[in-house]
């Protein structure tokens, strides 16, 4: 592996933490003997083009200094290659870093961990989800949670978890369970009334909501959490338990596992790693060992 590695930086991540986080992360890597260059983009397409160019040119590793949105962008550059992927998580959600067991909002510690792992060869094959040509690391959300995302994306204030909680309450007032058709591994289609269907490669979204608490990044399977036709009152009772992952014990919640899932519902947008994919129907595949992750 070449000693030159690339920092893929989102300067706006975590309300400006990304710009400050790049320096301690880079310092830790240089102190370990690595040559570091930084990639910034004028916008998302430009940043992705620069990251892909670095991968094509043979960078020793692509290290994203960002939140979940930019991490998802970085995955588009490294997935399916053997270029190691590292993450210095400084966003507001950081669900991918949590799933990978990496430091959160501590760029110096993340930089040291990445440097030590690269020297020791601690690079782990990790699964990714794929919808069409788009990769994701954590959760594909659809239903109530994706409509909360739709509403949240239209809001300028507040930020972080408070925005999610407020938009959840606003969406709850008008929401009704939706008819879904779910097909697992090309089997027989199952029709259900559901509040949401979450396809988990990783366990959490929304900054620590453990919607798919049993998801394993190395088993080649999704954990698919189906929240049934809950009333608003029941959903309000279940919601706090999502942060502990104990919602799966509720009788209206079921979890199934599959390597491929098709989800169909009218008027629903799918979000993966918090980024919009487009309207359902969508088919997701779990691709075993799709990315080489630098980790503990």
């Amino acid at each position: 592996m070449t000693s030159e590695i690339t920092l893929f930086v989102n300067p706006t991540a975590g309300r400006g933490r990304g710009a400050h986080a790049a320096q301690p992360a880079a310092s830790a890597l240089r102190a370990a003997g690595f040559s570091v260059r930084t990639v910034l983009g004028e916008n998302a397409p430009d940043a992705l083009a620069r990251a892909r160019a670095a991968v094509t040119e043979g960078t020793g590793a692509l290290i994203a200094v960002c939140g979940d949105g930019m991490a998802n962008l970085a995955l588009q550059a490294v997935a399916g290659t053997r270029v190691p992927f590292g993450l210095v998580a400084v966003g507001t959600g950081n669900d991918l870093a949590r799933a990978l067991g990496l430091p959160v909002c501590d760029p110096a510690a993340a930089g040291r961990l990445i440097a030590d792992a690269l020297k020791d060869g601690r690079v782990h094959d990790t699964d990714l989800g794929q919808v069409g040509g788009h990769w994701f690391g954590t959760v594909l959300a659809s239903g109530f949670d994706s409509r909360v995302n739709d509403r949240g994306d239209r809001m300028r204030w507040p930020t972080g978890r408070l925005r999610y909680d407020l938009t959840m309450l606003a969406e709850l007032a008008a929401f009704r369970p939706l008819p879904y058709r779910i097909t697992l591994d090309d089997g027989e289609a199952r029709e259900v009334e559901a509040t949401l269907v979450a396809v988990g490669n990783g366990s959490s979204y929304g900054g620590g909501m453990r919607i798919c608490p049993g998801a394993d990044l190395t088993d080649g399977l999704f954990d698919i959490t189906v929240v049934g036709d809950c009333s608003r009152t029941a959903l309000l009772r279940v919601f706090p338990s999502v942060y502990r992952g104990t919602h799966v014990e509720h009788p209206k919640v079921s979890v199934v596992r599959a390597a491929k899932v098709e989800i169909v519902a009218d008027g629903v947008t799918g979000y993966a790693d918090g980024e919009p994919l487009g309207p359902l129907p969508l088919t997701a595949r779990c691709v075993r060992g799709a990315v080489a992750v630098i980790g503990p």
Side-chain angles (χ1 to χ4, degrees), residues 192-260:
V192 297
E193 291 284 321
T195 301
L196 65 86
V197 177
V199 180
N201 181 56
S203 60
S204 72
Y205 60 10
M209 298 176 65
R210 301 182 65 232
I211 188 68
C212 302
D216 182 339
L217 290 167
T218 61
D219 65 356
L221 297 172
F222 293 127
D223 274 32
I224 302 153
T225 298
V226 180
V227 178
D229 55 345
C230 285
S231 66
R232 287 192 290 270
T233 301
L235 193 57
L236 276 171
R237 285 199 300 265
V238 169
F239 176 73
S241 66
V242 176
Y243 288 97
R244 301 187 299 274
T246 56
H247 62 289
V248 295
E249 300 168 7
H250 192 278
K252 288 289 187 178
V253 179
S254 61
V255 179
V256 293
R257 291 185 171 90
K260 177 183 175 184

Side-chain angles (χ1 to χ4, degrees), residues 52 71-80 85 96 99-100 125-141 198-203 215-224 258-261 263 271-275 277 282-293:
R52 282 179 166 154
N72 180 268
L73 199 64
L75 289 176
Q76 311 314 308
V78 295
F85 169 70
L96 183 57
L100 295 171
D125 288 344
T126 302
D127 302 343
L128 292 177
Q130 187 179 38
V131 177
H134 190 91
W135 300 92
F136 67 94
T138 56
V139 178
L140 165 58
V199 180
N201 181 56
S203 60
D216 182 339
L217 290 167
T218 61
D219 65 356
L221 297 172
F222 293 127
D223 274 32
I224 302 153
K260 177 183 175 184
V261 57
I263 46 178
Y271 281 76
D273 292 346
E275 301 298 306
L277 289 180
L282 292 172
T283 299
R285 295 172 176 82
C286 186
V287 181
R288 188 188 288 270
V291 64
V293 172

